[in-house]
C-alpha cells in the first residue's frame, strides 16, 4: 500500500453497449471493486467497435491514470478487434501467442480448435496474460493497460486475477447523512464545509418521495479523523437549516 493516490480509467468497448442491446453490468462492479481496494476510478469511456476510437481512448487514459482497464472485444468473432487496437495503440505487432495458443488448444482439443477460436490467441507483442478461470481464453496486460472480456462473469474473474498485482492506496471511507429537507437549503453550507475540509469529497443527492423532498449527503475521505469532523459539520448544518426554515 502506498500513500499516493492510485487512479484508474476504464474503457468499455462494444456497439452492443451503445445501442442498448446489452445492459452494462461491469462499470458498477469495477467502481465498487476498485474503491474497496483503494483505487480511484476517475473516468469511464464507452466506445464502439471502431479501432480508431479504441486507440484514442486507451492512449488518452493510459497517459492520465495509474491504471487503465478495458472490457469487451477479445472474443472469436470478426468484430472482436480490441487486441488489434491495443497493438496499434502501443505501436507493436500482433500474432498468435504460444502461451495463449496452448491454453486454448488444450482446452478445446486439436480437432475443435477452430480458426475462430485461434483468434483468441492473438496478442500484441510483449503482452502478459491475464488468467481466465471461467472460459480459459486469457485477457492480457500491456504496461498499465489491462484488457479483459466483456461477459460480466469472465470480466469479474479476470479482475480477481489481477487484483494482487495492483498497487493500492488507503481505502476511501464514507459517511452518509440523511437530510429531510431540499438540497437548496443546505447547498451553500455544504460548499463552505467542503472548503474547510479540502481532504474530503462531499456530494449531495436530492430525492423525492410522495411529494416530499429530501437530500442524501455523502462525505468521503481517506482520513477517519477528517471524515468524522466534516460529517459532524454537515450534521450541524442540516440541523441549523431545519430550525431556520421552521
Amino acid at each position: 500500500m502506498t500513500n499516493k493516490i492510485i487512479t484508474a480509467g476504464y474503457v468499455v468497448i462494444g456497439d452492443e453497449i451503445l445501442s442498448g442491446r446489452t445492459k452494462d453490468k461491469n462499470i458498477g462492479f469495477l467502481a465498487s471493486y476498485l474503491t474497496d481496494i483503494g483505487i480511484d476510478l476517475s473516468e469511464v469511456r464507452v466506445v464502439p467497435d471502431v479501432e480508431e476510437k479504441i486507440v484514442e481512448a486507451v492512449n488518452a487514459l493510459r497517459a492520465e491514470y495509474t491504471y487503465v482497464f478495458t472490457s469487451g472485444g477479445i472474443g472469436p468473432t470478426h468484430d472482436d478487434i480490441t487486441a488489434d487496437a491495443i497493438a496499434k495503440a502501443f505501436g507493436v505487432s500482433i500474432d498468435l501467442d504460444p502461451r495463449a495458443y496452448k491454453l486454448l488448444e488444450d482446452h478445446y482439443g486439436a480437432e475443435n480448435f477452430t480458426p475462430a477460436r485461434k483468434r483468441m490467441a492473438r496478442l500484441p507483442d510483449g503482452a502478459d496474460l491475464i488468467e481466465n478461470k471461467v472460459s480459459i481464453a486469457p485477457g492480457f496486460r500491456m504496461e498499465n493497460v489491462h484488457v479483459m472480456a466483456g461477459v460480466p462473469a469472465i470480466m469479474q474473474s479476470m479482475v480477481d486475477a489481477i487484483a494482487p498485482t495492483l498497487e493500492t492506496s488507503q481505502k476511501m471511507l464514507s459517511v452518509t447523512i440523511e437530510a429531510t429537507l431540499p438540497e437548496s437549503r443546505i447547498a451553500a453550507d455544504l460548499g463552505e464545509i467542503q472548503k474547510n475540509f479540502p481532504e474530503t469529497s462531499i456530494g449531495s443527492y436530492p430525492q423525492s418521495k410522495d411529494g416530499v423532498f429530501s437530500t442524501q449527503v455523502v462525505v468521503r475521505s481517506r482520513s477517519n479523523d477528517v471524515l468524522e469532523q466534516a460529517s459532524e459539520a454537515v450534521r450541524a448544518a442540516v440541523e441549523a437549516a431545519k430550525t431556520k426554515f421552521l
Side-chain angles (χ1 to χ4, degrees), residues 106-129:
D106 289 348
H107 176 70
Y108 289 113
E111 67 281 4
N112 295 314
F113 196 24
T114 63
R117 287 169 171 165
K118 289 177 182 178
R119 277 181 54 82
M120 295 187 290
R122 296 175 66 253
L123 301 181
D125 183 44
D128 295 317
L129 301 189

Side-chain angles (χ1 to χ4, degrees), residues 23-232:
K23 310 302 181 186
D24 176 79
K25 296 181 180 179
N26 292 331
I27 295 174
F29 165 79
L30 188 64
S32 296
Y33 196 108
L34 295 180
T35 295
D36 286 344
I37 64 174
I39 297 176
D40 292 351
L41 181 59
S42 302
E43 184 175 349
V44 177
R45 298 193 187 188
V46 183
V47 299
D49 295 308
V50 176
E51 186 177 84
E52 292 76 12
K53 294 290 186 180
I54 300 170
V55 170
E56 177 185 9
V58 168
N59 278 339
L61 297 189
R62 72 187 181 101
E64 182 76 15
Y65 303 115
T66 312
Y67 297 116
V68 174
F69 304 93
T70 81
S71 63
I74 59 171
T77 60
H78 72 281
D79 59 344
D80 288 315
I81 61 170
T82 298
D84 295 271
I86 299 298
K88 186 172 182 178
F90 281 86
V92 299
S93 61
I94 182 169
D95 206 342
L96 292 174
D97 181 276
R99 300 162 300 173
Y101 192 96
K102 187 176 189 313
L103 283 172
L104 289 161
E105 185 177 38
D106 289 348
H107 176 70
Y108 289 113
E111 67 281 4
N112 295 314
F113 196 24
T114 63
R117 287 169 171 165
K118 289 177 182 178
R119 277 181 54 82
M120 295 187 290
R122 296 175 66 253
L123 301 181
D125 183 44
D128 295 317
L129 301 189
I130 296 176
E131 183 182 14
N132 172 4
K133 291 184 177 180
V134 177
S135 62
I136 303 301
F140 62 90
R141 175 176 54 245
M142 292 288 290
E143 297 181 6
N144 66 333
V145 178
H146 300 76
V147 181
M148 301 176 290
V151 177
I154 302 175
M155 182 265 197
Q156 292 171 20
S157 171
M158 289 182 174
V159 172
D160 284 336
I162 63 177
T165 72
L166 302 175
E167 186 176 23
T168 61
S169 58
Q170 187 174 356
K171 180 180 175 181
M172 185 71 77
L173 307 172
S174 69
V175 169
T176 300
I177 300 159
E178 303 289 346
T180 54
L181 39 74
E183 181 183 39
S184 59
R185 295 186 181 179
I186 55 172
D189 290 327
L190 294 181
E192 285 301 311
I193 295 169
Q194 179 72 84
K195 290 180 183 178
N196 293 336
F197 295 93
E199 294 177 57
T200 66
S201 171
I202 301 176
S204 61
Y205 308 96
Q207 304 172 73
S208 176
K209 183 177 181 181
D210 299 327
V212 177
F213 291 96
S214 62
T215 306
Q216 190 177 74
V217 182
V218 179
V219 185
R220 304 172 72 234
S221 177
R222 285 187 163 84
S223 166
N224 191 60
D225 289 341
V226 171
L227 181 66
E228 290 182 359
Q229 294 173 42
S231 298
E232 188 54 41

